[in-house]
Amino acid sequence: FIKLRDIFKIYQMGGEDVVALKDINLDLRRGEYAAIMGPSGSGKSTLMNIIGCLDVPTSGSYHLNGQEVAAATEDELAAIRNREIGFVFQTFNLLPRATAAKNVELPLIYAGLPPEERRQRAAEVLEAVGLAKRGHHKPNEMSGGERQRVAIARALVNRPSVVLADEPTGNLDTKIGDEILAVFQHINDEGKTVIVVTHDPDVAAKARRTIVLRDGQMVDRAGKKIK
Amino acid sequence: FIKLRDIFKIYQMGGEDVVALKDINLDLRRGEYAAIMGPSGSGKSTLMNIIGCLDVPTSGSYHLNGQEVAAATEDELAAIRNREIGFVFQTFNLLPRATAAKNVELPLIYAGLPPEERRQRAAEVLEAVGLAKRGHHKPNEMSGGERQRVAIARALVNRPSVVLADEPTGNLDTKIGDEILAVFQHINDEGKTVIVVTHDPDVAAKARRTIVLRDGQMVDRAGKKIK
Ligand SMILES: Nc1ncnc2c1ncn2[C@@H]1O[C@H](COP(=O)(O)OP(=O)(O)OP(=O)(O)O)[C@@H](O)[C@H]1O
Ligand SMILES: Nc1ncnc2c1ncn2[C@@H]1O[C@H](COP(=O)(O)OP(=O)(O)OP(=O)(O)O)[C@@H](O)[C@H]1O
Ligand SMILES: [Mg+2]
Ligand SMILES: [Mg+2]
């Protein structure tokens, strides 16, 4: 379902190269629930952005559902991102001048849903993340953890087949964090693929499989490079 | 040293009021090392912003080092913030078009330090947070945890007497998070006051005292309101 082969991501910056990912080889089945862990700067967000079709590798191949993503047109990529993938960004990336509800409705606007159905679905998913009464507030009128939950709600509202969450509980207390993870588990029980980047071993424990990065490479639990 | 009496913070929004803080009474000694915990939305960042002179309460009084902050002039407040207080924001608030080193030098520019000394100090504190080689990169060329560490470095570079850190390890793995906490402990050993907002009980355990908020109020460990 997700097949990464020999993936490299290298940022060329003036005289130096920053190797964000190297030698990444990874197979993920449909319906997988995986956690990605590793030190700050080890390449986790970069890997997520490539899986989520938000970024392209410098070299290597990425097959999603049998299709080589590098060969896809801009329109095909946009359609994949909107229909199939729900992405929770590490820095939320909410529209500052739109209310929480409008932010959450955005993927449904792209999907062409009528207004009443959009409002209904946005309200449902905001309730699921504990923000039922805050839909009419803007991001800068909310706490850090509330904004994180709006970003989570937006990623889930289109019922995507792949949920990619980059440190979704970083700004949340344990209780609400567990509620969010229960939502992810429920989604995974329905057969959807869930991939979570986390620094928290308790969060990784909820996944069925853990992938560990160090300095841009995959390593096993002893820290030795996997090939 | 820090004395909050009957602090309220109420946001008036159209027809409704959001009570972010109510009945806050708190004494913090000079050299205290305190953690503030509580659910998402419970008022932690709001409390930190008031302590850090970045926001004013709706009612109540705040004495800092014997001076009533509400009675201070704009210039006096700016001087306090620049000389006495180092603030790590939950959302980092870095200048996107400046390098990490320039971001870290900013408080020293306000303090009037000459360029060579600024560069030296910025390099020292960037090394202390594990970013020795990244000073010439901009925030959008860095990972989430790297940006968080630039924000931490900037808060510490002017050697403030009060360090206020709003969830400083939220984007960091355990190893680098522990290194940051060791830096805070070292600063506290020198007699400086350190206050950390955190969702992580392991981080709170490093402080000498924990303050718990729920729905804008201080509660004891059983969850009962403190008066
Ligand atoms: N500018 C604002 N206008 C209206 N309400 C606000 C504003 N800023 C914060 N709030 C509300 O005040 C309450 C406390 O917010 P605060 O940011 O202090 O919470 P917090 O404890 O830091 O939460 P988190 O752990 O999620 O960061 C929240 O309900 C929040 O939505
Ligand atoms: N646009 C960019 N230009 C140059 N280097 C970059 C860029 N984006 C990321 N990097 C670097 O690539 C490496 C991997 O970054 P990435 O964001 O994937 O790390 P991460 O594992 O998500 O870290 P964190 O846990 O701190 O969020 C880091 O060293 C980072 O500084
Ligand atoms: Mg990241
Ligand atoms: Mg906060």
Side-chain angles (χ1 to χ4, degrees), chain A residues 76-95:
Chain A
E76 285 173 318
L77 274 187
I80 292 170
R81 282 195 298 262
N82 184 252
R83 268 200 338 262
E84 302 296 336
I85 296 173
F87 204 109
V88 186
F89 294 89
Q90 188 170 4
T91 48
F92 318 157
N93 298 1
L94 301 175
L95 298 181

Side-chain angles (χ1 to χ4, degrees), chain A residues 7-46:
Chain A
I7 294 286
F8 279 75
K9 182 69 185 182
I10 301 172
Y11 294 102
Q12 296 182 308
M13 320 185 57
E16 57 172 328
D17 283 353
V18 173
V19 183
L21 291 173
K22 60 178 155 172
D23 281 333
I24 301 295
N25 287 283
L26 182 60
D27 283 351
L28 295 165
R29 294 189 329 268
R30 197 185 272 282
E32 187 99 65
Y33 188 169
I36 302 177
M37 298 192 81
S40 170
S42 56
K44 306 178 298 296
S45 296
T46 304

Side-chain angles (χ1 to χ4, degrees), chain B residues 148-203:
Chain B
Q148 186 158 38
R149 287 182 271 155
V150 175
I152 292 167
R154 182 183 60 185
L156 303 182
V157 74
N158 207 12
R159 299 169 194 166
S161 55
V162 183
V163 175
L164 303 176
D166 198 343
E167 302 196 31
T169 60
N171 283 283
L172 302 176
D173 55 284
T174 323
K175 177 161 177 292
I176 193 83
D178 283 349
E179 286 174 38
I180 298 297
L181 293 174
V183 170
F184 288 173
Q185 184 60 58
H186 178 69
I187 288 172
N188 184 243
D189 291 341
E190 291 178 344
K192 311 282 170 63
T193 309
V194 178
I195 308 175
V196 177
V197 167
T198 184
H199 283 304
D200 188 339
D202 297 334
V203 172

Side-chain angles (χ1 to χ4, degrees), chain A residues 154-222:
Chain A
R154 182 184 60 185
L156 303 183
V157 75
N158 207 12
R159 298 169 195 167
S161 56
V162 183
V163 175
L164 303 175
D166 197 344
E167 304 196 31
T169 60
N171 283 285
L172 302 176
D173 55 283
T174 323
K175 177 161 178 293
I176 194 82
D178 283 349
E179 285 175 36
I180 297 298
L181 294 174
V183 170
F184 288 174
Q185 183 61 56
H186 178 70
I187 289 171
N188 184 244
D189 291 341
E190 291 179 343
K192 311 283 170 62
T193 309
V194 178
I195 308 174
V196 176
V197 167
T198 184
H199 284 303
D200 188 338
D202 296 334
V203 172
K206 301 256 156 77
R208 228 169 293 120
R209 164 185 183 185
T210 296
I211 297 151
V212 184
L213 295 183
R214 181 195 300 273
D215 296 325
Q217 299 187 286
M218 289 170 64
V219 298
D220 62 24
R221 251 170 304 191

